[in-house]
């Protein structure tokens, strides 16, 4: 329903002059029962239906002006007021001047400290590469060390977690004493329990592989689910991106080429080009042609060499090789060395005292092999082998150049194989270095 037309009072502000006769005016509802004052438009509480367009604009301007004034008054209250001290109050003036001076000194000192700290902070972009890390500089070694471990020591572990951790500790022992080859002798337990030889081999190989090659060489597997429980090897050939070495481990990339060459991932920001065509996903040892990092190069170049070359020429430990033997004769028939093993040492609690052993009789050896027994000892391992002609424990010692007891006067009934490996290598390795005249 449309109400009657009503005009504004003359007592109101000049806003009423803004409306002309041509305007439609403002309309309100005609309620005769209500007071007449309600028909008038109250400027302090405007009703949108009671204004024309020009009056509404003027009202909004006035409202905004009042709002700005209130804001200004609030900000002035919030601002801290500073009052000047009277000259007559000398004590307070001196105190304030001293405090101001101290504050200024503190600010200046803090600025100087910030400058010093910023000067000391290295620039991340200008990060310098490390040349030949200290732990890779070792004495040249003129012999190799191999050990034989029975697979039953892993089968006898109580849980998968303990089994995995045990393998990690064995791998670290091999790295500490620079063992070049690990032979896993496959001796099954008599109670027909589950065989974990493949689990043993895969985890040993996984730990020995540099981190930047593991994703390529070791796809997802149930055998590696608990590999995080093993402590990292941190071997001398596990180089980082900012560490330079003339040799690096790499993996051939699956990249199409138009010639007799291949691209190799060597763990640096740039790949390496070798002058050989090798199948993809093959692990290789590369000797680089460059002598240091060069940001101008598009790629590095190198040649494939033997895995033992960095160890023999520079003394840099380059990991171990894992080999499996089903019989005792396979240990010697399938040796990775053409000359075979010319110094064989057996360890047993029935052997002679290691202090009385004559190492000098094998002074000119090149490849040493140390054999460890399993749950039944080295005697039981050799007698149980069907292909072996040894029938009695008394004849076991005749198969070795030295038959040693490396832990005399032991306080326990038995010593576990993983314990015997650590004890024996700690005793035998210094004697081998001594007769080979290796200077540390």
């Amino acid at each position: 329903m449309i109400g009657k037309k009503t005009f504004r009072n003359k007592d109101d502000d000049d806003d009423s002059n803004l409306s002309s006769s041509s305007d439609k005016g403002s309309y309100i509802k005609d309620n005769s029962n209500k007071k007449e004052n309600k028909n008038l438009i109250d400027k302090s509480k405007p009703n949108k239906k009671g204004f024309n367009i020009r009056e509404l604009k003027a009202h909004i301007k006035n409202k905004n002006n009042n709002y700005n004034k209130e804001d200004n008054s609030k900000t002035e209250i919030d601002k801290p007021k500073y009052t000047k001290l009277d000259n007559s109050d000398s004590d307070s003036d001196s105190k304030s001047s001293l405090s101001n001076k101290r504050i200024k000194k503190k600010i200046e000192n803090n600025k100087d400290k910030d400058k010093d700290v910023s000067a000391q902070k290295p620039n991340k972009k200008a990060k310098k590469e490390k040349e030949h890390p200290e732990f890779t500089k070792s004495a040249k070694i003129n012999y190799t060390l191999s050990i034989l471990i029975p697979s039953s020591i892993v089968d006898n572990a109580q849980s998968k977690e303990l089994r995995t951790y045990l393998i990690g500790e064995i791998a670290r022992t091999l790295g500490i004493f620079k063992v070049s080859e690990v032979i896993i002798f496959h001796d099954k337990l008599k109670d027909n329990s589950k065989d974990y030889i493949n689990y043993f081999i895969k985890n040993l190989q996984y730990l020995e592989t540099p981190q930047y090659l593991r994703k390529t060489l070791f796809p997802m597997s149930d055998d590696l689910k608990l590999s995080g429980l093993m402590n990292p090897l941190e071997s001398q050939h596990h180089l980082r991106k900012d560490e330079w070495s003339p040799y690096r481990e790499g993996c051939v990339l699956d990249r199409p080429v138009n010639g007799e060459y291949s691209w190799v991932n060597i763990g640096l920001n740039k790949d390496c080009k070798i002058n050989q065509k090798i199948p993809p996903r093959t692990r290789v040892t590369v000797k680089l042609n460059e002598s240091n990092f060069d940001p101008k190069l598009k790629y590095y170049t190198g040649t494939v060499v033997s895995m033992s070359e960095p160890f023999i020429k520079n003394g840099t430990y380059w990991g171990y090789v894992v080999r499996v033997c089903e019989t005792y004769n396979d240990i010697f028939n399938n040796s990775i060395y053409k000359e075979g093993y010319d110094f064989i040492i057996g360890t047993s609690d029935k052997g002679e005292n290691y202090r009385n052993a004559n190492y000098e009789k094998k002074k000119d050896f090149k490849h040493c092999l140390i054999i460890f027994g399993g749950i039944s000892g080295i005697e039981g391992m050799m007698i149980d082998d069907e292909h072996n002609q040894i029938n009695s424990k008394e004849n076991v010692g005749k198969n070795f150049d030295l038959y040693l007891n490396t832990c005399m006067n032991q306080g326990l009934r038995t010593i576990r194989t993983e314990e015997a490996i650590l004890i024996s290598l700690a005793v035998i390795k210094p004697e081998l270095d001594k007769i080979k005249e290796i200077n540390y």
Side-chain angles (χ1 to χ4, degrees):
M1 180 179 176
I2 300 173
K4 293 183 180 180
K5 189 174 181 182
T6 59
F7 295 98
R8 296 176 62 85
N9 293 332
K10 293 180 180 180
D11 297 333
D12 292 339
D13 294 334
D14 296 334
D15 293 338
S16 59
N17 297 327
L18 295 172
S19 58
S20 60
S21 59
S22 60
D23 294 334
K24 292 181 180 180
S26 58
Y27 294 87
I28 61 171
K29 291 181 181 181
D30 187 10
N31 296 321
S32 58
N33 295 329
K34 295 182 180 181
K35 295 181 181 179
E36 293 180 0
N37 293 333
K38 288 187 177 180
N39 294 332
L40 298 176
I41 298 172
D42 188 1
K43 199 170 185 180
S44 61
K45 297 180 181 179
N47 186 357
K48 291 181 181 179
K49 293 182 180 180
F51 286 99
N52 61 18
I53 294 172
R54 292 186 182 180
E55 289 174 346
L56 185 61
K57 286 181 180 179
H59 178 74
I60 290 169
K61 283 182 182 179
N62 292 332
K63 194 172 182 179
N64 288 337
N65 291 333
N66 294 331
Y67 182 79
N68 292 333
K69 287 178 182 179
E70 289 177 2
D71 274 351
N72 292 332
S73 63
K74 285 182 182 179
T75 53
E76 286 176 2
I77 293 167
D78 294 337
K79 289 179 182 178
K81 295 181 180 180
Y82 298 95
T83 57
K84 291 183 179 181
L85 295 171
D86 296 333
N87 293 329
S88 60
D89 196 359
S90 58
D91 293 335
S92 59
D93 189 20
S94 59
K95 287 180 182 178
S96 62
S97 61
L98 286 171
S99 60
N100 289 333
K101 286 179 181 179
R102 287 174 184 171
I103 292 167
K104 285 181 182 179
K105 283 183 180 180
K106 284 184 180 180
I107 292 168
E108 290 175 0
N109 292 332
N110 289 333
K111 286 181 180 179
D112 295 336
K113 285 180 182 178
D114 292 339
K115 288 179 181 178
D116 295 336
V117 171
S118 61
Q120 290 174 3
K121 283 183 180 178
N123 189 3
K124 291 183 180 180
K125 293 182 179 179
K127 191 178 181 180
K128 290 185 178 180
E129 292 84 359
K130 300 174 186 177
E131 299 180 9
H132 304 288
E134 291 183 1
F135 76 96
T136 63
K137 295 179 181 179
S138 304
K140 291 184 179 180
I141 295 177
N142 49 11
Y143 71 93
T144 63
L145 181 61
S146 303
I147 68 168
L148 182 141
I149 308 173
S151 62
S152 58
I153 64 169
V154 176
D155 300 341
N156 197 38
Q158 288 86 351
S159 66
K160 205 168 185 179
E161 289 80 8
L162 290 174
R163 189 176 297 113
T164 307
Y165 189 79
L166 172 62
I167 295 170
E169 291 304 296
I170 292 172
R172 283 193 60 82
T173 303
L174 303 177
I176 290 169
F177 295 101
K178 297 186 175 181
V179 176
S180 303
E181 180 191 19
V182 188
I183 304 169
I184 309 298
F185 184 74
H186 193 191
D187 64 330
K188 292 184 179 180
L189 296 174
K190 292 182 180 179
D191 59 353
N192 296 323
S193 60
K194 190 175 180 181
D195 192 3
Y196 288 96
I197 186 169
N198 292 327
Y199 189 87
F200 194 6
I201 294 166
K202 187 171 285 188
N203 280 274
L204 277 178
Q205 291 175 338
Y206 179 83
L207 268 187
E208 187 274 334
T209 305
Q211 290 87 338
Y212 55 87
L213 299 179
R214 288 176 181 172
K215 286 185 178 180
T216 307
L217 297 176
F218 293 93
M220 294 292 291
S221 171
D222 290 339
D223 293 336
L224 299 174
K225 271 186 177 180
L226 300 174
S227 60
L229 295 176
M230 298 185 290
N231 294 316
L233 204 60
E234 289 290 337
S235 179
Q236 292 179 340
H237 67 300
H238 289 192
L239 297 164
R240 296 179 175 86
K241 284 186 178 183
D242 59 344
E243 293 174 341
W244 178 263
S245 174
Y247 298 94
R248 290 190 81 94
E249 282 294 288
C251 181
V252 179
L253 298 171
D254 189 6
R255 188 181 296 177
V257 293
N258 296 324
E260 292 296 320
Y261 64 91
S262 303
W263 292 101
V264 181
N265 172 24
I266 56 173
L268 297 175
N269 294 326
K270 300 169 186 175
D271 295 329
C272 180
K273 184 180 179 182
I274 57 174
N275 294 325
Q276 284 180 306
K277 198 163 186 179
I278 301 174
R281 295 185 65 184
T282 303
R283 181 176 167 179
V284 292
T285 303
V286 179
K287 183 180 181 181
L288 297 170
N289 298 329
E290 292 77 18
S291 59
N292 207 337
F293 293 100
D294 190 353
K296 296 180 182 178
L297 293 175
K298 291 183 178 179
Y299 54 85
Y300 294 102
T301 57
T303 55
V304 177
V305 296
S306 171
M307 178 185 172
S308 59
E309 184 173 316
F311 187 52
I312 295 169
K313 289 189 175 182
N314 295 347
T316 305
Y317 178 60
W318 215 251
Y320 51 80
V321 177
V322 183
R323 184 163 67 93
V324 182
C325 291
E326 295 291 337
T327 64
Y328 185 78
N329 292 328
D330 289 343
I331 299 169
F332 308 99
N333 296 336
N334 299 329
S335 174
I336 61 173
Y337 305 109
K338 293 180 180 180
E339 305 89 349
Y341 307 104
D342 49 3
F343 193 8
I344 302 170
I345 300 174
T347 60
S348 172
D349 57 347
K350 298 173 180 62
E352 67 172 323
N353 192 335
Y354 72 95
R355 293 189 182 93
N356 303 329
N358 182 16
Y359 296 91
E360 294 290 336
K361 65 180 181 181
K362 286 289 183 178
K363 188 175 182 179
D364 298 327
F365 80 95
K366 289 184 178 178
H367 307 291
C368 178
L369 172 63
I370 303 175
I371 298 177
F372 295 93
I375 296 170
S376 58
I378 196 171
E379 296 84 8
M381 183 181 71
M382 295 179 71
I383 292 170
D384 293 341
D385 186 11
E386 298 175 356
H387 302 277
N388 202 353
Q389 297 179 354
I390 299 172
N391 297 324
S392 64
K393 294 181 179 181
E394 297 175 356
N395 298 327
V396 171
K398 297 178 181 178
N399 289 269
F400 308 107
D401 297 313
L402 290 176
Y403 191 48
L404 304 178
N405 183 356
T406 56
C407 188
M408 300 296 296
N409 194 22
Q410 65 190 48
L412 303 177
R413 182 178 286 114
T414 58
I415 295 177
R416 297 179 66 88
T417 305
E418 60 270 19
E419 297 166 346
I421 295 169
L422 186 61
I423 295 168
S424 301
L425 290 176
V427 170
I428 298 171
K429 184 71 163 55
E431 296 294 335
L432 299 177
D433 292 344
K434 185 179 178 180
I435 62 174
K436 299 302 286 185
E437 298 179 352
I438 295 172
N439 298 319
Y440 298 105

